[in-house]
Structures are given as C-alpha cells and as structure tokens.
Amino acid sequence: MLTAGDNAYNSGSAGEFSNYYNPTWGRHRAITHPTPGNHDHATANLGGYCGYFGIVANCQAGYSYHSFNLGTWHIILLDSGCSSPSSCADAFSGANTLERIWLRADLAANTQPCTLAVWHHPLFTSGEHGNDSRSAGVWGELYNANAELVINGHDHNYERFAPQTPAGVADAARGIREFVVGTGGTGLRTIPSVQPNSEVRNATTHGILTLTLHASSYDFQFTPIAGQSFTDAGSGACH
C-alpha cells in the first residue's frame, strides 16, 4: 500500500490519525509505505504522521522519504513538502538539498530495471491546483534514470497521463507515465483545464489505483468504491 500524501485531514495531527486514518486505512498499516502531503505538514515536524507510521516513514528533520525494492521494481517515496513552495524549497525543489542529494544517490545505486516514484504534488494535473513546478527537478532526475511511473495526489480527482518528458512532450519511448490519485477519502473537486497528454480523467468517483508489477512491465486498474462504476485499466512496459 502506497499513499500519495494528505493522509489525515485536516492537519495531520496525532488525534486525526487515531480517529480517522486508523479505523479505515489503518488496517493496512503493516504493509503501507507512506508519503506526506501539505495537510500532514500542518502539524509541526510531521509530528502526527511520523508518530503514526514510525520507522517505515524514515522521518528526518521533519521530512519523510525512503525507498525499497519489490521484485524487479525500485519504489521511491518522496516528500514534496508543505503548501507553499517558497517555504519548503530547501527540502524538495532545490537541486542540492538533502532530499535531492539522497535521491540522486539512490537512483545511481539502483540496479532494478523498473522504477516507480510517489509523492504528493503533481508536476502535471488538470485539477484545480494546476501544474506544480516544484516537482520539475525531481521529474528530470527520474527521467534521466529511465523511471517508468510517477504517482501523485493533491488534486482531488483521478487522472492518467500518457508517457511524457519533464517538459510535457509526449515520449512513447522513454517518457514517464503519471497518475494523479486523489480519490482516497476527502471530497472530490472539478477538473477545470485539461492538460496536454492527459488520457483519462474522473472527478466523481472515490477509489484506489491497483498496480500489478511484472518483471519488465506493469498493469494498472482504477478500482472504484462499492456502488460506483468508473474504472480505468491498461498496461505498460519498463524502459
């Protein structure tokens, strides 16, 4: 189980994790690898988030990022920080910050043929928040390392993009496919402006994205909650 941030509304406090997250998604905590969002960062130093997820979150100086291997896949969990890019650029947006230095070393050491990265703020989105430039540098590093998939949250909808470059140019050969999966519980929002390379969008259905990771490929399927019918499915190959 991978989370794309904003795990407990409204401020990621210890009480909200206890009262809201734990009775629902908490049943999967033993197999969960989380990432934080801006609402989790509303509690100082990610106190509620780090206290709840513990060692797996790898919290360091108020930020959370780590990686692990699953079969032939290398999975990277990143922290894109708080709501204002200027107030947290030292963690995610800057090229030579602790998190970015760690990311480059992690990618350089990776020997797995397939790579998936998860964090909160999407570089590309047709949702209400719009494209978030703070993620451009990380996208560039993942693209240079031949990563396959990026999963983000933040916008309260589901969206699938065709493989593309960090500049938003369609690239079937080396491009990264991005999913926005902000459909895990809170209220959904509209999709006001469709971005280039957006293939599928939905803003009326709660659900999860299920990934089946094969040795050199992947299958994906959006699974709606009971009583709702929207779904999306397909597959792709590793670079």
Side-chain angles (χ1 to χ4, degrees), residues 113-129:
C114 309
T115 300
L116 157 65
V118 187
W119 69 88
H120 189 58
H121 297 89
L123 177 60
F124 305 107
T125 173
S126 301
E128 292 185 3
H129 286 297

Side-chain angles (χ1 to χ4, degrees), residues 52-82:
Y52 183 79
F53 288 113
I55 192 170
V56 71
N58 192 37
C59 291
Q60 302 180 51
Y63 291 92
S64 167
Y65 46 90
H66 67 287
S67 67
F68 67 100
N69 292 333
L70 183 65
T72 60
W73 284 75
H74 187 57
I75 300 177
I76 304 170
L77 293 303
L78 296 171
D79 186 343
S80 57
C82 42

Side-chain angles (χ1 to χ4, degrees), residues 32-51:
T32 296
H33 289 267
T35 66
N38 50 287
H39 283 269
D40 300 304
H41 273 283
T43 293
N45 297 316
L46 285 177
Y49 168 96
C50 295

Side-chain angles (χ1 to χ4, degrees), residues 29 35 50 71 123 149 172 174 177 181 188 211 221-222 239:
R29 180 160 58 166
T35 66
C50 295
L123 177 60
L149 296 173
R174 290 191 55 221
R177 183 185 296 282
V181 192
L188 301 175
L211 295 172
Q221 180 173 352
F222 181 85
H239 301 139

Side-chain angles (χ1 to χ4, degrees), residues 9 13 26 54 58 71 73-74 81 103 105 111 113 132 135 149 156 169 171 174 180 188 213 215 218-220 226:
Y9 265 64
S13 67
N58 192 37
W73 284 75
H74 187 57
L103 174 61
T111 60
D132 200 315
S135 296
L149 296 173
H156 301 183
V169 177
D171 182 353
R174 290 191 55 221
V180 177
L188 301 175
L213 304 179
Y218 61 90
D219 301 326
F220 62 87

Side-chain angles (χ1 to χ4, degrees), residues 210-232:
T210 302
L211 295 172
T212 304
L213 304 179
H214 303 291
S216 59
S217 64
Y218 61 90
D219 301 326
F220 62 87
Q221 180 173 352
F222 181 85
T223 304
I225 62 171
Q228 298 185 331
S229 59
F230 167 79
T231 189
D232 180 39

